[in-house]
Amino acid sequence: MVILKIYSYPTGFSVCSSFDDESDEDLFKGLSGWLDTDFPGIIAIMLPDGRIMARAVNRDGNFTEVTSVSVVGPDMNEEIPEYKMRTAQTFGKGTTEKLSSLSIGFVGVSGTGIPVVEQLHRLSVGE
């Protein structure tokens, strides 16, 4: 088992910065002591066009390019409206569809209720 750190640059920047290099090196040098492997982690960048670029990091903090990345599962961009995309990317299409089919009633929307109702709306709960 290894740790996967994945992030994105929404503008499409497809190369790790020197800050990324330093922080990833420090992170995985520290984590390697907890894991019994020569390659404690993979760092991946998800690009706006769906490509994913990755590199492995060894226990000394040295990077090796990952030449092939396969994404298993359904295409997250298929028939999901823009306003539901973030929920689908986080929880998957099935959960997003289930949330959209729910109807939830509230009695008394005050201190705690207001942020709960707002979050349910942001998760695209049906009604």
Side-chain angles (χ1 to χ4, degrees), residues 9-27:
Y9 288 120
T11 58
F13 187 65
S14 61
V15 178
C16 294
S17 69
S18 59
F19 179 78
D20 293 330
D21 291 343
E22 289 178 36
S23 63
D24 290 342
E25 181 181 342
D26 289 344
L27 171 68

Side-chain angles (χ1 to χ4, degrees), residues 56-75:
V57 59
N58 68 16
R59 70 174 52 249
D60 296 325
N62 298 316
F63 302 111
T64 305
E65 181 183 357
V66 173
T67 57
S68 177
V69 176
S70 297
V71 178
V72 179
D75 182 359

Side-chain angles (χ1 to χ4, degrees), residues 106 108-118:
F106 280 88
V109 180
S110 58
T112 303
I114 292 170
V116 170
V117 169
E118 179 183 349

